[in-house]
Amino acid sequence: VKTIQILLIGSLCSCSFSKEQTHTEKLPKHVFLIGFDGLSASSINNNAEMPVFRKLMQEGSYSMKGRSVLPSSSAINWASMFMGAGSELHGYTTWGSQVPELPSRVVNADNRFPNIFGLCREKYPEAEIGYLFEWKGMNYLVDTLAINYRVHTPACAEAAARYIRDKKPMLCGVIFAEPDETGHAKGWESPEYMEKVKEVDAGLAKVIAAIEDAGIMDESVIILTSDHGGINKGHGGKTMAEMERVLVLYGKNVKKGFEIQDSHVVYDIGATMAYLLDITQPQVWTGRPIISAFD
């Protein structure tokens, strides 16, 4: 009887280890979040000329039904994306928040609400973590002490390409300020807005080429997304044109040509990054990883 018990226990332990090993092997070694401020799902549905974006969309998993949190404004939604929860918990509440207007429900050792950059640093102390952005307001929405390379530059694509080729980061955020600025100036889906969308796609091409040149594409997952859409010359309201965001997942073990049907909100992006990096998300997070997009 004892022999049978030992064999059974050994078999169960072996099975558990095998499943864990298989799960880990399927995870990427590099995660890239490439964000486009104000890129509406409506513009993609209305034939925005983004050949690189569409190639990744066709060869990966995608949704044009992702929603922002309210208000459908920039800082609150980027914060929610990085922090895996809404404003009720992280405390950032307006379009230009620089500090939480409400006390964060919990904070980490850096006195920040738990965010994907800090969580990655905690689990992987030696990891290379990068963050490049064009809108200066993005600087206030991350755990800056957790990031190796943090750059505010109007030439985000070029700077990101150099950094990726040189450092091959485990986690890297690249956030473009457009087409939001053109949307405010000329209107969402105006000819000028649609032309600017083509320009940011050219920037995306430079980042993708850098990942390929670095020799890490096969071990990467790329997330393309936005914080909100827009209507007329603004956003922040409750129309679907303002709230529906784009989402594309591409890379290692991502389903190809798959339209994501699961409901997801901007804070689910943070949960998905945590899942890909094998990070246990904190209890205070409300996001859920978009597991249906992966094989």
Side-chain angles (χ1 to χ4, degrees):
V1 174
K2 287 183 178 179
T3 302
I4 294 172
Q5 288 176 332
I6 291 169
L7 288 171
L8 284 171
I9 291 169
S11 177
L12 289 170
C13 290
S14 175
C15 181
S16 176
F17 176 76
S18 176
K19 286 180 179 178
E20 179 61 31
Q21 189 177 38
T22 301
H23 169 68
T24 304
E25 288 172 353
K26 288 184 176 182
L27 296 178
K29 295 178 181 177
H30 311 273
V31 175
F32 295 92
L33 173 71
I34 305 175
F36 308 91
D37 203 309
L39 179 61
S40 66
S42 176
S43 67
I44 302 298
N45 292 333
N46 289 329
N47 301 315
E49 193 174 336
M50 298 186 77
V52 179
F53 183 99
R54 290 188 184 279
K55 183 178 186 293
L56 299 182
M57 179 176 165
Q58 291 162 5
E59 297 179 4
S61 295
Y62 64 92
S63 172
M64 298 297 116
K65 297 291 186 182
R67 295 195 179 190
S68 70
V69 297
L70 290 172
S72 53
S73 297
S74 293
I76 178 178
N77 275 280
W78 290 118
S80 297
M81 190 183 304
F82 302 145
M83 298 177 186
S87 58
E88 301 87 350
L89 294 169
H90 60 61
Y92 292 81
T93 65
T94 69
W95 76 270
S97 295
Q98 296 185 8
V99 295
E101 290 83 20
L102 298 173
S104 298
R105 177 62 179 82
V106 298
V107 294
N108 63 14
D110 294 336
N111 200 36
R112 296 276 191 168
F113 188 86
N115 63 91
I116 190 60
F117 298 99
L119 291 169
C120 186
R121 175 63 63 215
E122 288 173 12
K123 178 155 187 177
Y124 306 105
E126 302 304 316
E128 180 67 33
I129 302 174
Y131 181 61
L132 302 95
F133 54 96
E134 293 182 340
W135 175 49
K136 65 180 181 180
M138 300 295 299
N139 188 57
Y140 308 104
L141 310 176
V142 296
D143 187 344
T144 56
L145 297 178
I147 297 170
N148 300 88
Y149 187 74
R150 176 170 51 93
V151 175
H152 170 220
T153 172
C156 209
E158 292 79 5
R162 290 192 297 269
Y163 170 66
I164 291 166
R165 289 189 181 98
D166 184 37
K167 295 296 185 179
K168 302 177 178 60
M170 172 183 282
L171 174 62
C172 183
V174 182
I175 314 298
F176 294 92
E178 293 284 7
D180 183 82
E181 293 179 358
T182 301
H184 284 296
K186 300 295 183 179
W188 260 257
E189 297 188 52
S190 64
E192 295 86 354
Y193 177 94
M194 298 302 257
E195 185 64 29
K196 187 59 66 173
V197 163
K198 289 171 58 178
E199 290 183 23
V200 295
D201 191 69
L204 170 62
K206 294 176 182 179
V207 178
I208 299 303
I211 297 171
E212 292 172 340
D213 293 346
I216 58 175
M217 182 61 82
D218 289 346
E219 287 294 338
S220 296
V221 167
I222 298 164
I223 302 172
L224 310 180
T225 193
S226 59
D227 52 342
H228 55 73
I231 189 169
N232 299 322
K233 292 185 178 180
H235 57 83
K238 294 179 282 189
T239 67
M240 295 314 297
E242 295 163 277
M243 288 191 64
E244 283 191 326
R245 311 164 16 261
V246 300
L247 173 66
V248 173
L249 299 166
Y250 173 89
K252 185 173 181 178
N253 285 309
V254 177
K255 292 178 182 176
K256 298 183 182 297
F258 177 72
E259 184 174 3
I260 300 166
Q261 299 296 330
D262 291 350
S263 169
H264 56 95
V265 182
V266 66
Y267 44 67
D268 294 324
I269 303 298
T272 302
M273 289 191 284
Y275 168 79
L276 291 170
L277 293 165
D278 199 28
I279 293 170
T280 300
Q281 67 182 59
Q283 186 275 333
V284 73
W285 277 23
T286 53
R288 300 171 296 175
I290 308 168
I291 295 176
S292 65
F294 302 95
D295 283 327

